[in-house]
Every structure is written in C-alpha cells, then in structure tokens.
Amino acid sequence: MIADTPSPVNEPAFWQGLYDRREDGWELGQPTPPLADYLARTTPPRGRVAVLGCGRGHDCRLLAQAGYQVWGFDFTSQAIREAAALAKGEKLDIVFEQRDIFDLAADYRGFFDGVWEYTCFCAIDPTRRGEYVRLVREILKPDGWLLACFYPLRDGTDGPPFPTSEAELRRLFAPHFTFVEADEPRASVEKRKGFEWMVLARPLTLSP
Ligand SMILES: C[S@@+](CC[C@H](N)C(=O)[O-])C[C@H]1O[C@@H](n2cnc3c(N)ncnc32)[C@H](O)[C@@H]1O
C-alpha cells in the first residue's frame, strides 16, 4: 500500500522558507485591487471580519480603514510579525494571530460577521478544500457573509497557487453556502486578469 504523503504546504516551515528566500511571488505590496474596487462600490455589513492566510495584512488594513473590526490569521511567524508592524505604523487596531486556520472553529465558532478570502484557498492543500469550506461556515454567524476573490481559475494541478474552476467552487460551496453574486472582478492586477472570480456568498443553515 502506498502511504499518502502530507503536502508541504500544510506546514508553516514551507511558507517561512518562501518568505526567507523572498520567493513570495504573491506579494502585491498593497491591498488587492478587486477588494478595494468592491468596497468602493458596495459595503458588506460592518462588524468582525476574518482574513484567512493574511500574509502581510494589506487587505486587513484596507478593511480596518473601511470600518471593519479585523482579525488576520496566518501560521507563518514572519507574515504575522510584518503584518502587525505595518498596521502599527498606520495606527490601525487589528488583531493578528499566528495560527493554523484549520483550528479556528475551536475559538471562533459563529464569531465573525464576514470572511475575506484572497490567495489562501489556492495556498492550502487542494485535498483540504472541503474542510476549508466547512471551516469558513463554522466561524461565521448564521447571517454572515463570505467575500472571496478566487485565484487562479485555470487548468492544471500544480501549485501553490493551486488552480480551481467555477464548477469546482460551486460544487464545494453548495452544501454550505449560496452564491449571491459571482463575477469576474473589474480591477485585477495585470498578470491576474482573466484568472480571478469574485464571489459574495451567504451561509446556509448549519446542520448538526
Ligand atoms: C499565497 S500567500 C497569500 C498571502 C495574502 N493573502 C496575500 O494575498 O498577500 C498564502 C499565505 O497563507 C498562509 N497559510 C497557508 N496555509 C495556512 C494555514 N493552514 N493556516 C494559516 N495560514 C496559512 C501562508 O503562511 C501565506 O502567508
């Protein structure tokens, strides 16, 4: 029998290595334009928002500036350290916690009004995507919202970033969420244009 090999992306050491070697090709140095554009046009109800796999926290700071109470989660120490320093530099009150997102429900069940997803879904082991969807559902209030910009929508299996598709996303989220809006974002950075899909989703009732 061939044993399943755990994917290295499940370990903070993998990501720490990328930060150390400056192989952080995902880094935009600014909030992601699809989120900035979305917030400029419509604002999901204010309250507590979780940013999963927040990296250096650029989106956390944008959400805090827009009036949300923000929690940024990342299991890589360097990401959390830099995110906290950048927020402090802008005098923004954001909670940053170094921890694995897959353990969040133990402390944050039903706690958040909203979840913002950007380049975390594509960073986790694709075999854990169902677990990710359940986790997001569990930490949201029943009337909460998920705003997500999924990337990269393309064929293939190599990653990170691990590709996905509209069909896969609809199938994975259908047991726990309804998609209220789903469209190509208007403001992707150049190299991500045509590979992103922006979704506003609402939770379905939690089954026991
Ligand atoms: C591709 S980076 C994106 C960072 C940020 N969202 C951005 O757009 O700049 C993915 C981040 O997710 C974090 N991450 C991956 N798996 C995680 C997990 N299971 N729990 C917490 N953080 C995780 C990594 O440490 C890394 O900082």
Side-chain angles (χ1 to χ4, degrees):
M1 197 170 98
I2 301 169
D4 282 342
T5 315
S7 170
V9 299
N10 288 316
E11 300 300 328
F14 171 85
W15 295 97
Q16 184 64 49
L18 296 182
Y19 280 101
D20 288 346
R21 297 190 301 275
R22 305 201 169 184
E23 289 172 13
D24 51 353
W26 63 82
E27 175 63 37
L28 296 179
Q30 61 173 35
T32 188
L35 177 62
D37 175 67
Y38 192 91
L39 293 179
R41 289 182 292 116
T42 86
T43 41
R46 294 253 167 39
R48 302 167 180 156
V49 177
V51 181
L52 306 179
C54 65
R56 294 185 174 93
H58 305 303
D59 293 345
C60 295
R61 300 198 306 282
L62 179 69
L63 285 159
Q65 283 158 355
Y68 296 91
Q69 283 174 268
V70 183
W71 277 250
F73 298 104
D74 201 296
F75 65 6
T76 305
S77 59
Q78 183 166 344
I80 288 297
R81 245 194 337 269
E82 291 191 38
L86 286 165
K88 194 172 169 202
E90 292 182 23
K91 297 191 173 22
L92 291 169
D93 195 9
I94 298 172
V95 179
F96 287 106
E97 278 191 35
Q98 183 190 345
R99 62 187 293 170
D100 194 317
I101 58 160
F102 289 107
D103 298 334
L104 285 179
D107 295 320
Y108 290 100
R109 184 175 293 270
F111 183 81
F112 291 105
D113 299 280
V115 168
W116 165 243
E117 152 61 44
Y118 191 56
T119 60
C120 183
F121 184 83
C122 67
I124 60 168
D125 178 349
T127 64
R128 304 189 76 181
R129 286 178 170 177
E131 197 184 338
Y132 174 97
V133 173
R134 285 194 299 280
L135 172 266
V136 173
R137 174 63 193 92
E138 283 171 4
I139 64 172
L140 278 175
K141 294 178 182 175
D143 60 349
W145 48 268
L146 164 68
L147 185 63
C149 183
F150 293 107
Y151 169 83
L153 273 78
R154 59 170 166 78
D155 294 338
T157 53
D158 286 350
F162 296 105
T164 186
S165 66
E166 288 188 21
E168 184 198 29
L169 292 163
R170 287 192 188 280
R171 178 176 55 74
L172 283 172
F173 280 84
H176 300 288
F177 287 88
T178 177
F179 284 8
V180 181
E181 297 170 18
D183 213 344
E184 191 175 327
R186 303 189 316 181
S188 299
V189 292
E190 200 53 40
K191 65 180 178 185
R192 297 185 186 172
K193 275 204 172 100
F195 298 100
E196 295 190 320
W197 197 46
M198 190 105 176
V199 170
L200 177 67
R202 295 279 189 180
L204 301 171
T205 307
L206 259 187
S207 45

